[in-house]
Amino acid sequence: AAILRKWTANDLVEPNAVPGAGLDLRAASIQRVSDPIIGEAIALYALSPLRIVEGNPGRTILELGPRWEEGLNRTMERRFHRPFHLRFIPDSFYVRSRRGKITAHMAVKIRGDGYVVAYPGIVLPFILAGPPDELRIAWHSGLGSSTAMGFGCVEVAQ
């Protein structure tokens, strides 16, 4: 709270953003919300693409299934230096209604030559199951890779 009080309006605008894609939080408000984690599963949806990267160089996994879920847990383990046991259960009706097209790209920067660099991820509603402490970490920190660039932001499904 002490840090938030020191912010100015200019602190709430993402610098060097891709025009039209950056965050401008000057009209936002801060609200205290109760902890949505009350059990071992929570219904969420992706506000920004969920990105899971594997290999070197990093390739984004864009197909759901055991490999994607393993990559999610491995990524969270790397980020938080502890084991994760999350189960990712996609909303199958949503996936079918989109004919499997659940990928999205997010612009992350513009190169000097004007080329927009965009990274892929998946966007869909899903259920995240696992130990409540792991669900809380995911809720508060986001899911997957590149969260510092805005990927993996989730919200509770209504």
Side-chain angles (χ1 to χ4, degrees), residues 46-127:
L47 292 176
S48 62
L50 304 177
R51 188 164 186 247
I52 301 299
V53 178
E54 71 175 357
N56 190 11
R59 291 177 314 276
T60 305
I61 303 172
L62 296 173
E63 296 83 32
L64 294 175
R67 185 170 145 236
W68 197 92
E69 189 173 281
E70 289 167 12
L72 171 65
N73 282 305
R74 192 173 45 253
T75 299
M76 297 300 282
E77 287 172 10
R78 233 182 354 260
R79 284 178 59 202
F80 295 99
H81 309 288
R82 56 166 283 185
F84 271 76
H85 310 89
L86 298 171
R87 287 202 51 236
F88 187 89
I89 306 161
D91 181 326
S92 58
F93 179 75
Y94 179 86
V95 174
R96 276 195 311 268
S97 72
R98 304 269 307 155
R99 294 184 176 91
K101 296 178 182 170
I102 55 171
T103 61
H105 285 73
M106 188 161 79
V108 294
K109 65 181 175 181
I110 299 177
R111 293 191 324 206
D113 61 3
Y115 178 80
V116 176
V117 176
Y119 294 155
I122 63 168
V123 177
L124 74 163
F126 59 95
I127 293 174

Side-chain angles (χ1 to χ4, degrees), residues 76 84 86 128 133-143 154:
M76 297 300 282
F84 271 76
L86 298 171
L128 193 64
D133 62 320
E134 294 178 21
L135 296 176
R136 278 189 191 86
I137 290 171
W139 165 252
H140 289 290
S141 71
L143 283 171
V154 296

Side-chain angles (χ1 to χ4, degrees), residues 18-36:
V18 175
L23 293 176
D24 183 344
L25 301 175
R26 289 177 289 190
S29 63
I30 298 173
Q31 301 173 3
R32 179 183 292 259
V33 295
S34 61
D35 187 348

